[in-house]
Amino acid sequence: MSFLFKDFPADRDDFRVDVLAGLAACPKSIPPKYFYDEPGCRLFESICAQPEYTLTRTEQALMASRLSDIAAAIGPVDCIVEPGAGDCAKVRLLLDALRPSQLVVMDIAGVPLAAAAKTLARDYQGLAVTALGMDFLHDLEAAAPYLQAGRRLIYYPGSSIGNFPPDAATVLLARFRQLAGSEGRLLIGFDLKKDPLQLHRAYNDAAGVTAAFNLNLLERLNRELGADFDPARFRHYAFYNPVAGRIEMHLASLAEQDVNVTGQRFHFALGETLHTEHSYKFRRDEFSAIAKNAGWQLAAEWERDGFAVQLYG
Ligand code: AVI
């Protein structure tokens, strides 16, 4: 078994600084990457199993049904790199089809990543698995020394790119281009624009799991920064904004209230929201224009039930 884990410890101060800046801003916001502490990762897995949130299952079905076409279009690959790999489940299909010699996975939640990556290393004899516990938005370039030479494929599934506004998505895709190199390829999955009511339901599941995921952010602030949010005084509020083409997720204050975070006091008016996530939905041509601005040329694409996978070179 060939396995390496390198942790790039998240700077507790980044979290504190981002939270304080986001709460002081108008409108208030906190970056969505802070959803993913351990309870947040578990809640996200549970969201993916909810009947209304079909995104993950649709992508899996698309990948499984078109795998041989996708693998043929990608061609030979030495190294697969997956930023934000989470439980490392999605990449297995590509490992089976492409048989690269190295897999590099990255995630801000380093402990669960390391466990999942170690299992992969056991399951795929001859595959060198490198797990990097890092906030790749900060540290992507630090991954370069861990990548073996050869042809690289960046795999970015799950519509994670939708959590970035278009300008930030362009910057991230350009950084992927740098890491992949001129011979490199990008396989990316994203959610398509569709019936707004279907989208609304996906982010307002009947079991309340998405609400719990959103409210867990306040509990995380209480646990890790000694804040005194009362989650019962905030409501999960998610809706589709058709002008911007995105789901917006907020936490709405149910009262006029003050909250203390690391000794600083923040006022919430009744109904004021803390914006926690954007989830952009795209047309295929809209997305390929963003990727083109980042230096990628569309090579092939596949679509199923409102979800797209595109291959770039
Ligand atoms: C991770 N990301 C693509 C998910 C999404 O759909 O934007 C996160 C999520 N937020 C609420 N439900 C799922």
Side-chain angles (χ1 to χ4, degrees):
M1 179 174 89
S2 168
F3 174 69
L4 171 75
F5 174 57
K6 164 87 176 115
D7 201 19
F8 294 73
D11 194 335
R12 171 65 58 94
D13 223 48
D14 284 351
F15 181 38
R16 198 181 60 87
V17 168
D18 287 351
V19 166
L20 292 178
L23 289 173
C26 188
K28 294 178 172 63
S29 67
I30 293 185
K33 66 182 178 182
Y34 294 121
F35 280 134
Y36 300 95
D37 64 349
E38 273 189 63
C41 291
R42 277 197 303 277
L43 285 163
F44 180 61
E45 277 180 34
S46 176
I47 287 175
C48 295
Q50 295 310 303
E52 300 93 335
Y53 191 82
T54 54
L55 186 160
T56 314
R57 288 187 299 280
T58 304
E59 181 177 42
Q60 276 162 0
L62 186 161
M63 289 295 295
S65 62
R66 308 301 301 275
L67 188 60
S68 55
D69 294 353
I70 293 172
I74 294 169
V77 154
D78 300 294
C79 173
I80 298 180
V81 180
E82 186 180 357
D87 63 5
C88 300
K90 291 179 179 160
V91 75
R92 283 177 179 265
L93 283 176
L94 288 177
L95 294 176
D96 293 337
L98 296 171
R99 294 277 156 194
S101 49
Q102 191 193 20
L103 171 70
V104 178
V105 286
M106 308 164 194
D107 205 282
I108 194 166
V111 173
L113 176 79
K118 202 168 195 174
T119 305
L120 272 185
R122 274 197 209 103
D123 292 350
Y124 290 85
Q125 289 303 318
L127 176 70
V129 177
T130 304
L132 304 176
M134 62 158 61
D135 174 0
F136 68 85
L137 293 178
H138 247 200
D139 298 326
L140 186 72
E141 289 67 24
Y146 295 88
L147 271 59
Q148 293 169 1
R151 195 152 180 255
R152 294 166 180 173
L153 171 73
I154 310 273
Y155 182 42
Y156 200 48
S159 206
S160 297
I161 196 67
N163 296 136
F164 300 91
D167 285 356
T170 309
V171 170
L172 182 60
L173 294 177
R175 292 170 74 198
F176 287 172
R177 174 89 260 184
Q178 277 296 115
L179 189 67
S182 56
E183 293 302 301
R185 311 213 103 191
L186 167 70
L187 186 71
I188 188 157
F190 55 89
D191 206 13
L192 292 166
K193 287 191 164 128
K194 53 175 71 69
D195 177 357
L197 193 56
Q198 186 184 341
L199 288 170
H200 185 87
R201 289 190 180 123
Y203 292 81
N204 290 279
D205 60 276
V209 181
T210 308
F213 173 73
N214 200 6
L215 286 160
N216 176 61
L217 185 61
L218 301 183
E219 280 155 17
R220 179 175 187 188
L221 297 178
N222 290 349
R223 278 191 298 269
E224 294 186 26
L225 296 181
D228 61 0
F229 281 95
D230 177 357
R233 301 181 91 198
F234 287 86
R235 184 186 303 293
H236 164 70
Y237 180 52
F239 58 91
Y240 185 65
N241 174 339
V243 177
R246 66 188 183 211
I247 287 280
E248 291 187 16
M249 216 157 74
H250 298 253
L251 289 162
S253 176
L254 298 179
E256 175 119 9
Q257 56 183 316
D258 287 332
V259 175
N260 294 291
V261 184
T262 63
Q264 291 193 39
R265 179 185 294 199
F266 298 94
H267 183 73
F268 281 86
L270 172 62
E272 184 181 354
T273 73
L274 172 59
H275 189 175
T276 51
E277 189 182 67
H278 289 309
S279 192
Y280 281 84
K281 311 299 168 182
F282 306 94
R283 290 192 320 267
R284 285 185 285 146
D285 63 311
E286 238 172 14
F287 190 80
S288 51
I290 292 173
K292 193 170 180 197
N293 280 337
W296 292 101
Q297 295 302 323
L298 183 64
E301 58 186 335
W302 300 268
E303 180 179 338
R304 178 175 177 144
D305 298 337
F307 194 89
V309 170
Q310 291 186 333
L311 175 68
Y312 288 90

